[in-house]
Amino acid sequence: MKMIENCVPGPNDVCEIDGENINEVCILGRVTEIAQENMRHMVGLEDSTGQTMVTFYNKGDQKVPQALANFEHRQGEGQWVRVYGFIRVFNDQKSIVGINIQEITKMDEITNHFLKVFVSHNVRHKGVLENKELESQRPNKVQNKAGGAGQNQT
């Protein structure tokens, strides 16, 4: 969430993160609140890097947005969700419009998401590692189990 909070609105109301235009987002967070307003529902999320509100708009005469129709909020349980949506900018104010929300039931999904964010951020800043850089980090010799001489590992 901090990356979205710190992203810079560019021309044509498109946000930039690390120099790349960002429109679609996938964010994970713990649900802090759900509020209903006229023709929309607001879902508050927190992921320990920041907080944000995601807006889900009602279509037509629906009382609940389609994305929230099968979602059940359990207050006070620290419920984690994955939200797909779009970043919108109006008068230099960013907002996230949600199109899908899914409850996260396995905590390894949270770890996996944060690792993906970390790797993609580093690839944008430092580039992709070359094979020779990866090879320089590999140990040259490995002892065999009998305690004999090392063999080259390939």
Side-chain angles (χ1 to χ4, degrees):
M1 306 236 189
K2 185 173 184 163
M3 291 178 81
I4 292 173
E5 183 180 310
N6 293 338
C7 72
V8 179
N12 300 324
D13 292 332
V14 175
C15 288
E16 285 187 8
I17 296 178
D18 298 331
E20 287 189 32
N21 290 341
I22 302 295
N23 186 20
E24 298 175 15
V25 293
C26 173
I27 58 175
L28 268 63
R30 187 177 13 248
V31 178
T32 57
E33 65 178 298
I34 292 185
Q36 182 178 353
E37 295 180 7
N38 188 26
M39 299 300 293
R40 65 184 179 174
H41 284 65
M42 309 287 286
V43 178
L45 298 177
E46 185 272 330
D47 72 348
S48 76
T49 67
Q51 296 182 5
T52 192
M53 294 295 281
V54 179
T55 305
F56 291 90
Y57 287 100
N58 299 3
K59 291 185 180 179
D61 293 335
Q62 294 176 334
K63 292 184 179 182
V64 176
Q66 182 64 33
L68 295 174
N70 296 323
F71 176 71
E72 182 180 334
H73 173 56
R74 293 185 309 277
Q75 192 165 349
E77 291 189 20
Q79 183 179 26
W80 281 81
V81 294
R82 174 182 286 114
V83 174
Y84 296 94
F86 298 97
I87 297 179
R88 298 287 185 237
V89 180
F90 183 72
N91 291 335
D92 288 332
Q93 294 293 318
K94 296 174 288 229
S95 64
I96 299 174
V97 177
I99 58 171
N100 191 351
I101 186 168
Q102 302 168 345
E103 182 176 9
I104 292 177
T105 56
K106 297 179 182 176
M107 293 299 116
D108 61 340
E109 293 181 53
I110 298 167
T111 303
N112 190 316
H113 176 79
F114 285 128
L115 285 171
K116 285 179 183 177
V117 170
F118 174 78
V119 168
S120 56
H121 172 76
N122 279 300
V123 165
R124 282 193 299 270
H125 277 276
K126 299 176 182 179
V128 178
L129 288 175
E130 300 291 328
N131 282 338
K132 63 183 176 182
E133 293 171 313
L134 293 171
E135 291 291 328
S136 70
Q137 308 233 348
R138 183 184 292 183
N140 289 334
K141 303 216 179 218
V142 176
Q143 294 288 335
N144 65 20
K145 290 184 180 181
Q151 299 174 349
N152 285 339
Q153 184 181 18
T154 56

